Amino acid sequence: MSRSARAYWLRSPGHGEIRDVVLPAPGEDEVLVRTLWSGVSRGTETLVHRGQVPRSQWDVMRAPFQDGDFPGPVKYGYLNVGVVEEGPAGLSGRTVFCLYPHQTRYVVPASAVTPVPDGVPAGRAVLAGTVETAVNALWDAAPLVGDRIAVVGGGMIGCSVAALLTRFPGVRVQLVDADPARAGVAAALGVEFAAPQDAREECDLVVHASATGQGLTRSLELLRTEGTVIDLSWYGDRRVTLPLGEDFHSRRLTLRSSQVGTVSPARAHRGYAGRLALALELLADPALDALVTGESRFEELPALMPRLASGDIPALCHRIRYED
């Protein structure tokens, strides 16, 4: 029996389309998943949409179940929540998260899906990949009780980091963004908000997630002497200029990168599966619904992606619905 599906492809930079797909029958250790929701990872996926993945990063930036190659045609994405229609007894009928692109149904190894905890709604579970990035960043950053912390950049990643930091005892955390509309999201997450020029200085730690040179420069300015910036931004093929000739050395500042493609060495023993399972557990907090700022039907993706990429829709996580 043939199984059909539909998938969103980037045909060429700036131009997407929906294609028909014929699925294989799932093997003994595989699952057939029917998608309920997927999420657009706005930072990375809009760079892919615009064709701004540098050639040197084509292999590094491959999604786990990507088809095609950059700059296109390519099927790209990694925030997918669905129901297992066929598979091992322990998974059949379960709601699961998978690092799969935007597609109505798909077949993957059973080991590639993670059950969504009962207390986490399927629609919120699309944030698992984003919260997983935040978990990895905090493993890298290792904040301490009572730290003074700023998160510069109020996108999906920055807001996720700020939300998790509110759970640390005695930590003062401030979300910093140039867009005053982010104040409402910060309030929903229980986080103090400030414009860049008004942000508190003398921070022990700054987590940078604005993907701009201005944001990274401001992050360094907010540090105390011997403080640390953890940079989560991915700049694609853009170059960033920093004032490292000023007090960067005299104040002994540290700039470190963090990237979700590798589990933080501080928690390498947890592995990818353990990190993702923890992210899904943390999504039991309903405050994280504030990160979902829009919703569209799967069929609207070809028209939606250019609007997200241009900023016409100023979304955090834009959720894709597969069923009415």
Side-chain angles (χ1 to χ4, degrees):
M1 180 181 69
S2 65
R3 294 169 172 81
S4 61
R6 291 175 296 154
Y8 173 74
W9 281 72
L10 180 68
R11 184 176 71 250
S12 62
H15 304 282
E17 63 186 10
I18 292 176
R19 298 183 179 182
D20 292 329
V21 179
V22 176
L23 302 179
E28 182 178 352
D29 295 319
E30 294 183 319
V31 291
L32 170 65
V33 179
R34 170 173 49 85
T35 303
L36 299 174
W37 303 92
S38 63
V40 178
S41 181
R42 187 169 178 265
T44 304
E45 289 194 56
T46 55
L47 281 172
V48 171
H49 178 83
R50 292 191 295 263
Q52 292 180 324
V53 180
R55 182 178 290 273
S56 64
Q57 298 298 300
W58 285 3
D59 289 336
V60 175
M61 294 307 300
R62 285 192 70 87
F65 294 101
Q66 173 181 323
D67 279 339
D69 297 294
F70 302 120
V74 63
K75 183 177 73 176
Y76 192 85
Y78 46 80
L79 303 174
N80 190 298
V81 177
V83 174
V84 176
E85 291 191 319
E86 298 180 38
L91 288 172
S92 184
R94 293 291 303 272
T95 301
V96 295
F97 177 86
C98 185
L99 297 168
Y100 205 87
H102 308 283
Q103 185 165 310
T104 58
R105 279 183 171 83
Y106 53 92
V107 175
V108 293
S111 59
V113 302
T114 302
V116 175
D118 291 339
V120 177
R124 190 188 305 154
V126 297
L127 296 168
T130 304
V131 174
E132 182 184 12
T133 301
V135 167
N136 205 59
L138 294 179
W139 282 350
D140 280 334
L144 299 177
V145 172
D147 270 357
R148 296 161 296 179
I149 303 174
V151 179
V152 176
M156 284 177 65
I157 302 298
C159 285
S160 296
V161 170
L164 296 188
L165 282 170
T166 63
R167 309 182 187 199
F168 283 70
V171 162
R172 185 199 77 192
V173 57
Q174 188 174 54
L175 183 65
V176 181
D177 198 279
D179 182 359
R182 293 287 187 260
V185 179
L189 296 173
V191 179
E192 181 183 346
F193 177 82
Q197 66 273 18
D198 300 324
R200 299 191 192 191
E201 300 184 351
E202 292 296 305
C203 291
D204 302 293
L205 171 69
V206 176
V207 180
H208 176 242
S210 81
T212 67
Q214 299 96 316
L216 185 52
T217 297
R218 186 60 178 142
S219 296
L220 290 168
E221 293 170 349
L222 296 178
L223 288 175
R224 62 165 173 81
T225 297
E226 297 192 342
T228 298
V229 169
I230 299 292
D231 192 9
L232 303 184
S233 297
W234 190 61
Y235 302 93
D237 58 3
R238 289 174 291 137
R239 293 183 178 271
V240 175
T241 301
L242 295 176
L244 300 183
E246 299 183 9
D247 57 357
F248 179 78
H249 289 86
S250 63
R251 294 205 293 128
R252 297 173 57 83
L253 304 181
T254 298
L255 173 59
R256 291 180 54 202
S257 65
S258 178
Q259 206 272 340
V260 72
T262 300
V263 177
S264 170
R267 294 294 181 271
H269 64 284
R270 301 287 289 272
Y272 293 98
R275 188 179 66 183
L276 180 56
L278 172 60
L280 282 163
E281 291 175 14
L282 294 171
L283 280 167
D285 183 356
L288 291 168
D289 284 332
L291 302 185
V292 179
T293 54
E295 185 177 304
S296 298
R297 293 181 295 108
F298 169 73
E299 291 80 8
E300 297 175 294
L301 267 170
L304 171 70
M305 289 301 297
R307 299 185 66 198
L308 289 174
S310 68
D312 183 42
I313 300 177
L316 292 178
C317 177
H318 198 92
R319 191 166 56 190
I320 305 303
R321 183 177 71 251
Y322 288 73
E323 298 181 351
D324 292 327

